[in-house]
Amino acid sequence: MAFTFAAFCYMLALLLTAALIFFAIWHIIAFDELKTDYKNPIDQCNTLNPTVEKVKKIKRVKIALKLVLPEYLIHFFFCVMFFCAAEWLTLFLNLPLLAYHVWRYMSRPVMSCPGLYDPTTIMNADILAVLSKGRLVQAGLLPAVLLLLPLRDDLCSGELLNGTASGPARAEATTRCWKTEPAGPHGEDLDPAQTVTS
Amino acid sequence: MSTAGFNSQNGTGTGQTYANGPTQTPASLHQVPGVSSGMTHQPAYNPMQAKAPTPPGLYPYQPVPSFNSSPSVQPLLSSPLVGGPPSHTPPLSASPSPGPRLPPGHATPPPPATAVSSGSYYPSSMAPTWQFNTATQLPGSAASTNVPFRGTVGNHVNPPVSLPAPTSSASFSPTPPPMNNPQPPGPGIPPTSMHGYTQPGLAPSPGNFMPPHSYPQSRPGFGPPPTGPPPAMKPPPTGAPVTNATPPPPKADAQCGGAVNSLPLTEPIFQEGDIECPGAVTGNGPQAPNNFNHVENKMAGPTQPGPPSRHVGHYPSLPPGYQSTPHAGPPMHPSQPYTQAAPPYQQPPGGPGPAHLSPSMAAMSLQSSTPEALRVVNLLQERNLLPLTAVSAPTPCLPQDLQKINCNPEVFRSTLTSIPQSQSLLNKAKMPLGLLLHPFKDLSQLPVVTSSTIVRCRSCRTYINPFVSFLDQRRWKCNLCFRVNDVPEEFMYNPVSRSYGEPHKRPEVQNATIEFIAPSEYMLRPPQPAVYLFVLDVSHNAVETGYLTVFCQSLLENINALPGDSRTKVGFITFDSTIHFYNLQEGLSQPQMLIVSDIEDIFLPTPDSLLVNLNECKELVQDLLKSLPNLFMKTMETQSALGSALQAAFKLLSPTGGRMSVFQTQLPNLGMGALQSREDPNQRASAKDIQHLSPATDFYKKLALDCSGQQVAVDLFLLSSQYCDLASLGCISRYSAGSVYHYPSYHHQHNPAQVERFQKDLKRYLTRKIGFEAVMRIRCTKGLSIHTFHGNFFVRSTDLLSLPNVNPDAGFAVQMSIEENLDDMQVVSFQAALLYTSSKGERRIRVHTLCLPVVSSLSDIFAGADVQAITGLLASMAVDRSVTASLSDARDAMTNAVIDSLSSYRQSVLTIQQPGLLAPACLRLFPLYILALLKQRAFRTGTSTRLDDRMFAMYQLKYQPLAYSMLMIHPALYRVDDLTDEGALNINERTIPQPRLLQLSVEKLNRDGAFLMDAGTVMYLWIGRNCHPNFLTQVLGVPNCSSVPENLYLLPELDTAESQRTRAFVGWLRDQRPFFPSIHVIKDESQLKPHFMQNMIEDRTESALSYYEFLLHLQQQISK
């Protein structure tokens, strides 16, 4: 059983998706705390946004734990991985989400530090509703992805096991896989598309 | 009895503004407040202690246990609403209206010809000039659209009208007829003909119905045909014999008669009726009974329009067809109807009419929903939309006992005075639901309660208010969350009547606006002292403008009037490229200046002595103020390190909190928060999208949030001639609940008008009441929730605003949404509670409660619409939209708001479809106001507007109270050269003439006259070239037009009747607001003429539609 780079990518993505689920749930809780008047928006936004002081204070490893930016970076990271592994289809399915993240970050409020959330506007009912709905959708879909990724992983490894397939042949194999197992790609697909529309 | 003597006067403008705390007895100070004693507890400030010294050991801020557990209340007077205008409900007193007794024919005196007279304004030229430049083209080509205005009456009758269903009391009357019904046929008419009118709701006798289409030609039963001036229709003075003598609102009489004749009404119903009809929006001057049209409509619907007599006019909203009757117009009306015809009809408030109407109203409104507010108005045909005097807020239709104690609309106002039952209903109505608040308004009468326990709902923490219900003597039910609470023992005692067992008579339950002195549970820390820090720009540019002298003088003059007590602290920081601190410590012989040049990492050189106690160091402060202007006279430093100065000031204030007043004259270009010029002068007039409305950096916003956290508010005075990037700088005030003042092109010599305004503003600013470390929470009945806040503050949670400072000139707006259906509720309530520390160091809570009815039908929602509040809220929403999206988006959104609500009205409420642009009477000003907004400095395109001016206008729209921002949006125009005492108000033995409001159109101007335009912060006096010399000499004291000075701050005090009248009127206008509008004289060649002309909203400009074109545009969109 050849443990290829692609298979590695999928496994990594699996782990990272679990991390993303954690982020999503965390955001949902944070927004809910805001709604129920439990926390001050300044504090809450400071937790959600990586503020400069925090970056200085907290050691590098820990920063990754609490932020929006890491979330985007994780996604970007496994897009790059899939690119390197030449998993074009998976990459293609992830591109919309990547584009959404880029757009979202470009259109963030004017801020001098990294981050997405502005404490002065976050209490606006519309904005808060959109944000928390987006996170809910994410939290609902990511587990699906989580389940489907190993499947995709297996198929990928299995196919590689069978043959010394070159690029095009592998692509063919992949399409076959799609046909036999439509749920896999579908699940993959849902995540970016849904998040974008939300 | 604890302190019973609280002074309820927290009056306006005067130096005594701050006297609404208990008087302080200096003797009770236990310790001398030291310079650094900001946080020390000073027992002196415990209100209770002033009267009842507590044992020394007692925690100073703890309320003294009240001796008999009875709260003390200051003498509260019978009038529950504070400081507002008299309530709008028509007086109940049965006025001696001749109506019921008179033969019907006499019951209707000729309606006053005030509004009507538009027909006569253009006696000879029939083409009404809707748009000043295009009027002339109307006749020929655009016949289809313009016909209504030009043709004879007959042409205007819409076909649907011609099918009167005699029995149906059509709830929505077709456009033109409604008004005419109760019309006076004149003495000559047989009483029987009136009969049809006087039977509202009943089947009128068929004989009275005229096919409307025929009325232009033949009107047998109704008096003379329109051709030729009918003798019967005389100008009012000579009109119907009986009623004319005492001119009550004629229609009122008609109705009263009608009601009495036809409907078996009982007295109680009458009373209800008074408030059933939220019609006040018509604001038809004092005599606007709001109610009568309601009845009229019913009658009018089925019947034919009355004779097109001009008398009908009286209502501003009269269909123009009648007004412009060619025949009647010219001969009857003098050329200046305002003065000659109108005044007689300006009925003093409380005239007999409204009172009598109420009975019929009650009956009517119960049976059908066509109150005056819903009278259909065809805007395309309506020439005179404006009411005679200022537009007033509509009255919610609540039972009278509730309405009587409801919150003053100037303080608390809702866009919809009838709350829809569900969000879907609200969505159908397409109108914004929101509240407009002016919570800290200066009130002339405010009940203040001191009580050891403040009674609140145990679950939602609502303060007890007039709209709660007492289940029995011991329990009350919260009107917001419906929880049943116990009445505490001490609440059973009523300190006003000194009786026991009447909790519902307590002042808390009798007043919708009330103030509590809060006990120590309401303090997170001891109340802070009043702390004022002034941060002054002293760069070369600033010295050039000369503002420093004015500032120092103003402060010197008002230094004793600064609100505060013996703990008050002041401090000064000046800055250019470095930051200068002033050590004012007691004991120094003269102020010591400390310069910090390390602006990147700012520190405080001597933290203890920079903020000093004003009373102890007053001489040093005065020394400093005297020397400051000279100190920097020769400076050549051009850079400005505003960001660092703000940080220094923040550091200085953060231990105590307080107010920071920043004076800035140029773009900050050094250190932190440095900005770049973003304005491209060539793009000022661009019709394309305006860029750079959002801040360039978040430095100021973050600093403002830090300030907000430390209870520091930043007020920004921007005095500059060049671009200062208010969009970025303004954030510092916006999120710290400060205020922004902008004086474009300020210069001490070149621009005396601005100097004057700066002086007056500064005086008001320094002496006005102030509340520190405030929070405001807005609660509403379960099912409603707050969507968005507008104003200057930081939103700390869904319903809580953090206001480091609150000032009496700040307004707030709130958008609401309905989350759960309100099916089972009759009324909903809103409560705004403002908790603040007064300048005397007392913690106080000011509570306003508003109660509104819930309705289930669209027509009721429309009937309760408050067009001014809607406009104000839309303006705030549009400001947000233009910052987050784009200006053109915001403009489209405003236009769509009108289109949506009018088309929703047309589709869902109107039962009879007819051509034209139809609006309910209460929304008839909506398109006009929206057009005014589109032409307002904040939102206009195509006209050269500096970015800072635009931003400032936007800030003003957001944080000014509605009363002031409405004048900014739609200025009031009056003719002042012929003021008379007729219809004048009498206030404090002064006679204040009440000229009528004119439309903002150049056609209303007259070379022979003088006109006053009141645009809120500024007034323009337009003097015609041929202005009557009498006015010039008697009022202005100059022999001819050319010698009138450009700027008049005060009208000369001449001892002539004309002068007195004019000054009384202008003074009255000024008294209505806390700031001082200066008067600019506009002559033909004046520099400021463009400013004046830009306010002519109804006229066409190069880049914007005229009012009539705008209406056509709306109509086109609606009929799509």
Side-chain angles (χ1 to χ4, degrees):
Chain A
M1 171 154 178
F3 187 71
T4 60
F5 182 60
F8 171 73
C9 284
Y10 281 112
M11 286 170 141
L12 200 64
L14 190 70
L15 293 178
L16 292 177
T17 307
L20 289 182
I21 292 177
F22 168 74
F23 278 136
I25 292 173
W26 191 24
H27 275 100
I28 291 171
I29 295 172
F31 292 137
D32 198 60
E33 278 175 347
L34 276 182
K35 256 188 228 163
T36 51
D37 200 357
Y38 188 71
K39 271 203 172 171
N40 184 329
I42 299 183
D43 301 341
Q44 199 64 291
C45 288
N46 281 346
T47 3
L48 297 179
N49 296 330
T51 57
V52 180
E53 291 89 332
K54 287 232 162 66
V55 176
K56 274 181 201 158
K57 269 184 229 157
I58 305 170
K59 296 294 173 218
R60 256 166 274 147
V61 190
K62 281 194 177 173
I63 305 172
L65 269 182
K66 46 179 356 185
L67 323 164
V68 183
L69 205 52
E71 179 196 338
Y72 288 6
L73 289 178
I74 288 174
H75 187 254
F76 180 72
F77 169 69
F78 61 72
C79 282
V80 170
M81 296 284 276
F82 285 130
F83 177 80
C84 297
E87 286 290 318
W88 304 119
L89 194 71
T90 314
L91 180 63
F92 176 75
L93 291 174
N94 272 297
L95 276 183
L97 184 59
L98 191 68
Y100 169 75
H101 283 167
V102 171
W103 172 79
R104 183 85 173 69
Y105 204 76
M106 300 293 278
S107 61
R108 72 196 184 115
V110 179
M111 292 173 107
S112 54
C113 55
L116 274 183
Y117 304 112
D118 177 359
T120 56
T121 56
I122 198 165
M123 289 312 294
N124 183 318
D126 276 339
I127 294 178
L128 199 56
V130 167
L131 290 177
S132 49
K133 255 183 216 146
R135 290 299 174 180
L136 274 175
V137 170
Q138 199 184 13
L141 288 175
L142 280 175
V145 178
L146 194 65
L147 290 178
L148 292 170
L149 270 176
L151 191 63
R152 182 88 181 80
D153 189 13
D154 286 351
L155 291 170
C156 195
S157 333
E159 165 229 317
L160 288 168
L161 191 69
N162 285 343
T164 54
S166 61
R170 221 176 69 190
E172 270 181 43
T174 322
T175 37
R176 243 181 292 124
C177 294
W178 293 131
K179 277 170 198 156
T180 51
E181 198 60 40
H186 189 56
E188 275 277 4
D189 192 10
L190 264 183
D191 172 29
Q194 288 289 324
T195 319
V196 168
T197 48
S198 72
Chain B
M1 295 305 311
S2 30
T3 58
F6 288 140
N7 177 356
S8 69
Q9 304 268 342
N10 58 350
T12 53
T14 63
Q16 287 308 311
T17 317
Y18 313 100
N20 76 2
T23 47
Q24 190 111 21
T25 40
S28 64
L29 283 177
H30 293 187
Q31 76 187 83
V32 179
V35 174
S36 55
S37 65
M39 303 294 289
T40 56
H41 299 181
Q42 302 216 2
Y45 306 107
N46 186 336
M48 316 292 290
Q49 282 183 331
K51 306 264 176 188
T54 43
L58 199 61
Y59 176 64
Y61 292 100
Q62 205 160 9
V64 178
S66 53
F67 307 121
N68 51 5
S69 75
S70 66
S72 73
V73 175
Q74 68 189 52
L76 175 58
L77 319 175
S78 51
S79 101
L81 286 185
V82 272
S87 75
H88 302 293
T89 51
L92 281 177
S93 65
S95 54
S97 153
R101 305 264 183 268
L102 285 178
H106 291 167
T108 60
T114 51
V116 194
S117 29
S118 88
S120 61
Y121 300 156
Y122 318 98
S124 45
S125 75
M126 309 256 284
T129 44
W130 274 93
Q131 48 222 31
F132 155 62
N133 326 350
T134 52
T136 46
Q137 337 163 343
L138 295 185
S141 55
S144 63
T145 51
N146 295 316
V147 162
F149 305 103
R150 326 199 55 258
T152 56
V153 180
N155 294 341
H156 308 153
V157 180
N158 295 313
V161 179
S162 64
L163 304 169
T167 50
S168 78
S169 53
S171 42
F172 302 100
S173 52
T175 340
M179 295 308 304
N180 309 316
N181 251 349
Q183 222 168 66
I189 291 173
T192 52
S193 69
M194 282 308 292
H195 220 72
Y197 301 121
T198 55
Q199 301 200 355
L202 298 184
S205 66
N208 294 330
F209 287 102
M210 304 266 325
H213 56 260
S214 66
Y215 76 83
Q217 287 87 26
S218 63
R219 228 170 271 91
F222 290 81
T227 54
M233 304 193 218
K234 290 181 185 146
T238 59
V242 183
T243 46
N244 264 349
T246 61
K251 301 196 176 170
D253 281 351
Q255 279 191 3
C256 293
V260 173
N261 288 341
S262 55
L263 293 172
L265 290 174
T266 55
E267 209 45 44
I269 302 184
F270 294 7
Q271 301 203 345
E272 289 253 310
D274 263 286
I275 35 160
E276 277 302 83
C277 297
V281 90
T282 56
N284 216 349
Q287 93 267 44
N290 311 330
N291 299 333
F292 29 107
N293 282 338
H294 167 87
V295 178
E296 284 162 22
N297 273 352
K298 290 201 48 142
M299 303 188 281
T303 56
Q304 80 303 6
S309 103
R310 298 167 308 88
H311 299 296
V312 158
H314 170 68
Y315 289 95
S317 42
L318 193 71
Y322 300 106
Q323 304 164 0
S324 51
T325 312
H327 323 283
M332 303 224 158
H333 273 272
S335 63
Q336 296 189 350
Y338 299 123
T339 55
Q340 299 173 24
Y345 300 101
Q346 292 194 348
Q347 185 108 21
H356 260 273
L357 285 180
S358 47
S360 48
M361 294 326 311
M364 308 321 297
S365 55
L366 292 176
Q367 293 161 11
S368 75
S369 49
T370 48
E372 154 66 11
L374 272 186
R375 184 171 49 83
V376 184
V377 176
N378 187 345
L379 295 172
L380 287 171
Q381 295 189 13
E382 197 84 26
R383 287 284 292 128
N384 289 299
L385 287 169
L386 291 176
L388 293 178
T389 52
V391 183
S392 57
T395 318
C397 43
L398 285 170
Q400 194 181 6
D401 51 336
L402 287 186
Q403 183 49 38
K404 215 168 63 188
I405 45 178
N406 216 347
C407 200
N408 184 346
E410 287 181 27
V411 171
F412 210 150
R413 200 160 161 179
S414 168
T415 57
L416 302 178
T417 52
S418 305
I419 304 295
Q421 227 172 31
S422 62
Q423 182 71 34
S424 61
L425 193 61
L426 176 62
N427 292 344
K428 244 186 248 169
K430 301 258 166 86
M431 282 191 289
L433 174 60
L435 305 170
L436 288 112
L437 290 104
H438 188 178
F440 206 53
K441 183 175 165 42
D442 288 322
L443 298 169
S444 56
Q445 198 181 36
L446 174 70
V448 180
V449 173
T450 311
S451 169
S452 56
T453 52
I454 295 176
V455 182
R456 299 174 70 179
C457 172
R458 284 179 63 192
S459 84
C460 67
R461 310 300 293 149
T462 301
Y463 296 84
I464 196 166
N465 60 71
F467 309 106
V468 302
S469 44
F470 283 92
L471 300 180
D472 52 47
Q473 284 224 336
R474 287 289 173 177
R475 290 180 307 155
W476 61 278
K477 190 173 172 194
C478 174
N479 54 335
L480 267 63
C481 68
F482 307 114
R483 184 197 155 102
V484 176
N485 294 276
D486 292 335
V487 176
E489 178 61 30
E490 62 186 282
F491 201 74
M492 299 298 286
Y493 178 81
N494 184 349
V496 177
S497 63
R498 294 172 187 274
S499 56
Y500 184 83
E502 288 183 331
H504 55 282
K505 296 271 177 65
R506 293 261 312 191
E508 291 93 327
V509 191
Q510 293 292 320
N511 296 284
T513 293
I514 195 159
E515 189 153 293
F516 297 96
I517 309 262
S520 58
E521 302 96 78
Y522 293 85
M523 303 166 193
L524 292 176
R525 58 175 189 177
Q528 68 165 81
V531 179
Y532 305 110
L533 178 64
F534 299 94
V535 182
L536 306 163
D537 181 3
V538 291
S539 61
H540 178 71
N541 194 33
V543 174
E544 270 297 285
T545 62
Y547 88 90
L548 208 53
T549 327
V550 176
F551 165 78
C552 291
Q553 265 172 5
S554 276
L555 188 53
L556 273 174
E557 283 162 18
N558 295 304
I559 198 152
N560 292 319
L562 281 179
D565 53 15
S566 56
R567 298 186 300 165
T568 307
K569 290 175 162 194
V570 291
F572 297 87
I573 291 178
T574 58
F575 66 96
D576 39 32
S577 61
T578 54
I579 317 292
H580 322 139
F581 297 89
Y582 295 88
N583 184 349
L584 299 166
Q585 181 123 49
E586 212 181 357
L588 288 177
S589 59
Q590 60 173 29
Q592 199 178 26
M593 182 162 137
L594 307 160
I595 300 179
V596 174
S597 55
D598 182 6
I599 54 170
E600 289 302 326
D601 189 14
I602 200 79
F603 63 95
L604 300 180
T606 54
D608 290 344
S609 53
L610 300 177
L611 272 181
V612 294
N613 187 299
L614 179 61
N615 291 337
E616 292 163 12
C617 306
K618 194 172 274 174
E619 283 180 9
L620 274 181
V621 170
Q622 283 168 338
D623 276 357
L624 175 66
L625 287 175
K626 280 173 198 154
S627 58
L628 208 51
N630 303 323
L631 207 56
F632 296 97
M633 208 52 126
K634 300 265 163 53
T635 183
M636 294 311 287
E637 189 57 73
T638 56
Q639 289 183 306
S640 162
L642 176 68
S644 312
L646 288 174
Q647 281 183 326
F650 167 63
K651 279 190 180 165
L652 195 51
L653 280 181
S654 52
T656 50
R659 181 176 79 184
M660 188 196 303
S661 317
V662 179
F663 296 78
Q664 171 72 5
T665 61
Q666 59 171 319
L667 200 64
N669 49 13
L670 198 64
M672 278 164 293
L675 297 169
Q676 253 130 58
S677 179
R678 298 189 289 168
E679 188 187 34
D680 176 3
N682 299 323
Q683 295 294 310
R684 277 179 192 160
S686 150
K688 281 179 291 173
D689 254 343
I690 310 294
Q691 303 293 313
H692 308 309
L693 293 174
S694 51
T697 162
D698 70 338
F699 172 82
Y700 295 98
K701 183 167 78 184
K702 281 165 72 183
L703 187 57
L705 292 183
D706 291 343
C707 287
S708 174
Q710 299 298 326
Q711 307 295 354
V712 176
V714 185
D715 293 329
L716 181 65
F717 289 79
L718 207 54
L719 312 109
S720 67
S721 43
Q722 335 117 352
Y723 175 70
C724 275
D725 203 351
L726 187 57
S728 305
L729 287 185
C731 290
I732 188 81
S733 296
R734 181 166 168 200
Y735 298 112
S736 67
S739 35
V740 180
Y741 296 83
H742 180 44
Y743 304 87
S745 315
Y746 183 91
H747 194 278
H748 63 119
Q749 281 170 340
H750 307 324
N751 203 339
Q754 292 286 22
V755 176
E756 177 73 16
R757 191 161 79 86
F758 179 55
Q759 272 173 339
K760 300 283 184 188
D761 281 357
L762 208 52
K763 180 170 186 321
R764 162 77 184 165
Y765 173 77
L766 292 172
T767 56
R768 72 184 176 191
K769 206 168 130 63
I770 185 169
F772 295 98
E773 41 184 6
V775 287
M776 180 164 75
R777 198 181 283 275
I778 300 176
R779 295 182 174 88
C780 38
T781 299
K782 203 168 64 181
L784 292 164
S785 73
I786 292 173
H787 188 276
T788 309
F789 292 96
H790 300 279
N792 287 358
F793 47 69
F794 172 63
V795 188
R796 224 165 57 195
S797 85
T798 43
D799 58 351
L800 185 70
L801 300 182
S802 144
L803 305 164
N805 280 5
V806 59
N807 69 68
D809 302 334
F812 302 89
V814 184
Q815 273 170 264
M816 308 287 307
S817 57
I818 303 170
E819 297 209 319
E820 296 164 32
N821 283 3
L822 308 168
D823 296 337
D824 47 348
M825 297 175 206
Q826 297 294 312
V827 293
V828 290
S829 306
F830 305 90
Q831 188 171 72
L834 178 73
L835 172 64
Y836 67 96
T837 303
S838 77
S839 51
K840 307 273 185 237
E842 280 175 316
R843 207 70 174 137
R844 287 173 164 237
I845 310 164
R846 189 174 290 191
V847 180
H848 305 283
T849 315
L850 177 72
C851 180
L852 295 175
V854 177
V855 296
S856 56
S857 78
L858 269 181
S859 56
D860 288 338
I861 299 175
F862 278 101
D866 179 344
V867 67
Q868 288 198 319
I870 292 176
T871 312
L873 185 63
L874 281 176
S876 295
M877 290 160 66
V879 170
D880 275 1
R881 180 69 76 89
S882 33
V883 175
T884 54
S886 70
L887 193 68
S888 56
D889 247 31
R891 289 170 56 91
D892 290 348
M894 283 190 284
T895 317
N896 289 337
V898 195
I899 294 172
D900 288 347
S901 55
L902 291 188
S903 63
S904 152
Y905 171 73
R906 193 188 179 96
Q907 281 160 12
S908 326
V909 178
L910 277 187
T911 46
I912 308 166
Q913 294 297 330
Q914 27 181 310
L917 182 60
L918 305 177
C922 58
L923 284 181
R924 70 191 195 285
L925 294 174
F926 195 22
L928 179 62
Y929 284 156
I930 292 298
L931 180 68
L933 269 181
L934 293 176
K935 294 186 176 184
Q936 222 271 336
R937 228 176 327 159
F939 301 113
R940 70 189 178 193
T941 52
T943 314
S944 178
T945 311
R946 288 196 291 189
L947 204 48
D948 279 349
D949 290 355
R950 189 186 293 278
M951 278 317 295
F952 181 59
M954 287 187 174
Y955 276 116
Q956 277 186 308
L957 285 178
K958 275 206 118 177
Y959 78 75
Q960 281 208 328
L962 183 66
Y964 315 147
S965 61
M966 273 323 287
L967 280 176
M968 268 179 56
I969 295 170
H970 188 269
L973 182 68
Y974 307 94
R975 178 161 187 163
V976 290
D977 61 328
D978 49 9
L979 294 177
T980 60
D981 280 344
E982 279 181 273
L985 288 181
N986 245 318
I987 299 175
N988 295 339
E989 298 176 4
R990 276 196 313 163
T991 309
I992 293 146
Q994 296 287 297
R996 58 160 295 168
L997 272 180
L998 300 181
Q999 285 162 277
L1000 291 170
S1001 168
V1002 173
E1003 67 176 329
K1004 297 291 177 200
L1005 299 181
N1006 188 331
R1007 278 199 187 155
D1008 304 333
F1011 294 83
L1012 184 75
M1013 179 188 281
D1014 177 7
T1017 51
V1018 59
M1019 291 185 184
Y1020 299 104
L1021 181 63
W1022 188 90
I1023 295 179
R1025 193 180 297 162
N1026 306 331
C1027 183
H1028 204 279
N1030 192 36
F1031 177 76
L1032 297 174
T1033 50
Q1034 305 285 315
V1035 177
L1036 299 176
V1038 292
N1040 56 43
C1041 197
S1042 55
S1043 49
V1044 179
E1046 281 276 322
N1047 285 303
L1048 277 174
Y1049 310 119
L1050 291 169
L1051 293 170
E1053 297 201 11
L1054 303 177
D1055 198 17
T1056 60
E1058 288 86 350
S1059 171
Q1060 268 164 8
R1061 265 189 223 120
T1062 317
R1063 279 185 289 123
F1065 179 60
V1066 173
W1068 176 71
L1069 289 178
R1070 278 179 173 159
D1071 286 346
Q1072 292 172 352
R1073 64 206 79 166
F1075 41 84
F1076 184 91
S1078 56
I1079 295 189
H1080 299 281
V1081 173
I1082 308 287
K1083 289 180 290 183
D1084 267 350
E1085 65 286 358
S1086 277
Q1087 252 185 334
L1088 287 169
K1089 198 174 175 191
H1091 290 260
F1092 177 75
M1093 287 304 170
Q1094 271 159 15
N1095 284 329
M1096 290 296 176
I1097 286 154
E1098 297 195 16
D1099 292 332
R1100 194 188 164 148
T1101 64
E1102 287 164 20
S1103 52
L1105 298 179
S1106 73
Y1107 178 51
Y1108 187 67
E1109 287 168 330
F1110 184 65
L1111 289 181
L1112 288 180
H1113 171 70
L1114 294 183
Q1115 187 191 19
Q1116 205 182 6
Q1117 296 292 317
I1118 288 173
S1119 52
K1120 246 184 210 171

